Amino acid sequence: MASTAKAVEPVISAAWGKPQSWTLDSYRSRGGYDGLKRALSMEPAAIIDEVKKSNLRGRGGAGFPTGMKWSFVPKDSPKPKYLAVNGDESEPGTFKDRYILENDPHMMLEGIAIASYALGVHTCYVYLRGEFKFQAERTQAAIDEAYKAGIFGKSLMGKEGFALDCFLVRGAGAYICGEETALLESLEGKKGWPRLKPPFPAVVGLFGSPTVVNNVETLASVPPILAKGAEWYAKLGTEKSGGTHLVCLSGSVNRPGVYEVGMHTTILELIHDDKYGQGMPKGRKVKAVIPGGSSAPVLGADELDVALEFEALKMKQTMAGSGGVIVMDDATCMVRSLWRVARFYAEESCGQCTPCREGTPWQTRLLRKIEEGRAELSDIDMLSNVASSIAPYPPIGLGNTICALGDAAALPTHSFLMRFRDEFEAHVREHRCPFGDRPWGSFGDWS
């Protein structure tokens, strides 16, 4: 389809693809660190208010207002304060943060500096997924440049009396460490098990001290807000969601990739517009779309004229999540797709909570039984009951586990059954997969 989507001014990805865009010289030539200069001339409380007015919401999955999150940090705490950057991008279908780290890491570092000054933080940890070797090398090179230029170190870009140190830490490739409290446990050298809340990290976080955990894209969005103003940033988005955001388009589309879109951009536009996905492969039609990474409830083909924005997707009983838009065409077996998703969560569960530890492999075994044509109709009802024991649906976010991994495992099951139950029943009636046999190999005794 010809381009019909409203034009979007790039905020995060404007420099991607330009020569040496990841270097300090390139970043400064584009006005880099101007936002930090302005921030250093302001009172910390005024910076937090500016971020609040921008309507910036967290880009890591939950979509919580960033300025409000910063305001929860106690101002009079005698303990040191910390900033932890969540770069443990592990959600299936999501691959945007690594592009920021590869193409423009200084944008994130400037966001770190602004946030640290606003919060009174003097030590920041950038926590990256263990597999991000190249991204870690490029980020570390940018950190080294920032120290050499006097941006980090004993004085924050010349701000006497305000020191800031930034350390890069690589995890070991555990999905659970993308959960903020599990990330903090991992940073402390412990097993990555989520913590009970309250207390929340803003009060009792890293090393028992007040801590803010922000996503890579969230922090990369902060410098433009300080450089151009909160009002400008808010107007780029919708009433409750300011700015633009990065989405990761994958699956059955002609041009998958990472795209910076407006909050008003619809899923249909993302798939079919010439600026983005450029439509489906020849002869294929959209059957379903997962709009926010594999943990987001699936949408049917008749539900896609909806904006890729937190509140709009919430009305559809799904979520924008981490921005991973996965397109499935009419040749896709929904049972097999859900089985694959369920296997991931069964393997990545930390095992701390009984509903997740026992329920995720139970889901997987039932789905394998259905996919292979060995199930009865009662197994479909059992699958629904197991998912409800992990987390009911709707609403989203009221699961029975310490962290949201239980929800992430149960919500796809609920939504697939709600929208495509006929396919599950067809597997039972025909004692086979109607879409043909595709060997998956061995997945362990819980698969």
Side-chain angles (χ1 to χ4, degrees):
M1 130 185 346
S3 294
T4 58
K6 184 179 176 182
V8 175
E9 179 183 355
V11 175
I12 302 295
S13 62
W16 293 4
K18 293 183 178 179
Q20 303 290 306
S21 63
W22 54 89
T23 64
L24 179 59
D25 287 344
S26 173
Y27 187 60
R28 278 186 155 161
S29 71
R30 295 177 266 118
Y33 290 103
D34 285 351
L36 177 57
K37 288 178 184 176
R38 182 186 172 217
L40 293 176
S41 69
M42 300 166 64
E43 291 296 321
I47 299 172
I48 296 175
D49 286 341
E50 190 84 352
V51 175
K52 283 182 179 178
K53 291 174 186 175
S54 74
N55 291 331
L56 172 64
R57 297 174 67 166
R59 303 295 196 244
F64 194 82
T66 303
M68 186 179 295
K69 190 174 190 177
W70 289 6
S71 69
F72 292 156
V73 176
K75 298 178 179 60
D76 56 353
S77 174
K79 297 181 179 180
K81 301 170 187 176
Y82 296 99
L83 174 65
V85 183
N86 190 344
D88 192 69
E89 188 174 49
S90 310
E91 178 84 358
T94 309
F95 42 92
K96 61 183 177 62
D97 290 343
R98 68 194 70 185
Y99 275 69
I100 297 172
L101 299 173
E102 291 174 19
N103 292 285
D104 212 354
H106 279 283
M107 186 171 252
M108 177 194 69
L109 297 184
E110 185 179 4
I112 287 171
I114 294 169
S116 297
Y117 181 65
L119 296 166
V121 166
H122 297 284
T123 306
C124 170
Y125 294 94
V126 180
Y127 186 97
L128 300 187
R129 183 164 175 79
E131 288 85 348
F132 283 5
K133 184 176 184 294
F134 173 66
Q135 292 82 359
E137 291 172 352
R138 188 154 280 182
T139 303
Q140 185 60 60
I143 292 172
D144 293 342
E145 284 184 312
Y147 269 103
K148 187 175 181 180
I151 298 167
F152 292 162
K154 293 181 180 179
S155 65
L156 177 59
M157 204 164 76
K159 185 75 173 181
E160 291 298 329
F162 197 99
L164 178 60
D165 284 310
C166 182
F167 302 98
L168 178 66
V169 179
R170 288 173 63 191
Y175 172 77
I176 194 66
C177 288
E179 195 277 335
E180 63 177 10
T181 61
L183 184 153
L184 297 179
E185 289 286 293
S186 179
L187 275 175
E188 292 178 1
K190 304 171 187 174
K191 182 187 293 186
W193 272 17
R195 300 173 181 174
L196 283 167
K197 294 181 285 190
F200 293 92
V203 179
V204 182
L206 190 62
F207 309 122
S209 298
T211 304
V212 167
V213 183
N214 280 146
N215 166 262
V216 169
E217 185 188 349
T218 307
L219 287 166
S221 302
V222 171
I225 293 171
L226 270 294
K228 297 185 178 182
E231 185 177 345
W232 164 81
Y233 190 82
K235 284 183 178 179
L236 292 176
T238 57
E239 182 182 358
K240 294 185 178 181
S241 302
T244 62
H245 66 140
L246 300 175
V247 294
C248 317
L249 182 62
S250 64
S252 188
V253 290
N254 286 322
R255 195 174 73 155
V258 177
Y259 300 103
E260 185 167 0
V261 302
M263 294 292 181
H264 48 265
T265 304
T266 68
I267 295 176
L268 283 177
E269 288 172 334
L270 181 68
I271 294 172
H272 296 290
D273 196 275
D274 284 349
K275 294 195 296 292
Y276 307 128
Q278 299 183 355
M280 308 285 291
K282 187 175 182 181
R284 298 266 67 90
K285 296 179 181 178
V286 180
K287 182 176 189 177
V289 171
I290 298 174
S294 64
S295 60
V298 70
L299 294 175
D302 60 343
E303 301 177 282
L304 304 182
D305 192 17
V306 58
L308 285 158
E309 186 266 330
F310 301 99
E311 300 302 322
L313 288 170
K314 185 178 179 181
M315 295 294 291
K316 294 282 188 179
Q317 296 181 0
T318 186
M319 52 192 181
S322 56
V325 180
I326 306 169
V327 181
M328 293 175 276
D329 62 29
D330 51 1
T332 303
C333 171
M334 301 309 287
V335 176
R336 186 181 295 134
S337 298
L338 180 58
W339 178 28
R340 190 166 195 168
V341 170
R343 286 203 316 272
F344 172 81
Y345 290 109
E347 183 169 323
E348 293 295 337
S349 171
C350 74
Q352 184 175 188
C353 306
T354 300
C356 190
R357 182 182 65 248
E358 303 297 330
T360 52
W362 194 352
Q363 281 192 145
T364 308
R365 290 192 296 269
L366 286 167
L367 284 163
R368 180 173 186 172
K369 191 176 179 183
I370 296 168
E371 169 63 14
E372 293 178 349
R374 300 182 287 107
E376 301 175 359
L377 288 175
S378 60
D379 289 313
I380 300 176
D381 294 328
M382 177 64 75
L383 177 62
S384 178
N385 289 338
V386 171
S388 295
S389 297
I390 303 171
Y393 172 74
I396 294 173
L398 292 178
N400 298 317
T401 53
I402 290 174
C403 83
L405 190 142
D407 300 64
L411 294 177
T413 300
H414 286 303
S415 62
F416 273 68
L417 286 174
M418 183 174 74
R419 291 176 171 88
F420 300 100
R421 189 181 179 97
D422 57 328
E423 280 197 27
F424 289 78
E425 293 178 351
H427 280 70
V428 173
R429 287 194 307 269
E430 299 179 27
H431 301 291
R432 66 182 183 90
C433 174
F435 292 86
D437 294 329
R438 294 184 189 177
W440 288 94
S442 175
F443 304 107
D445 58 8
W446 44 259
S447 64

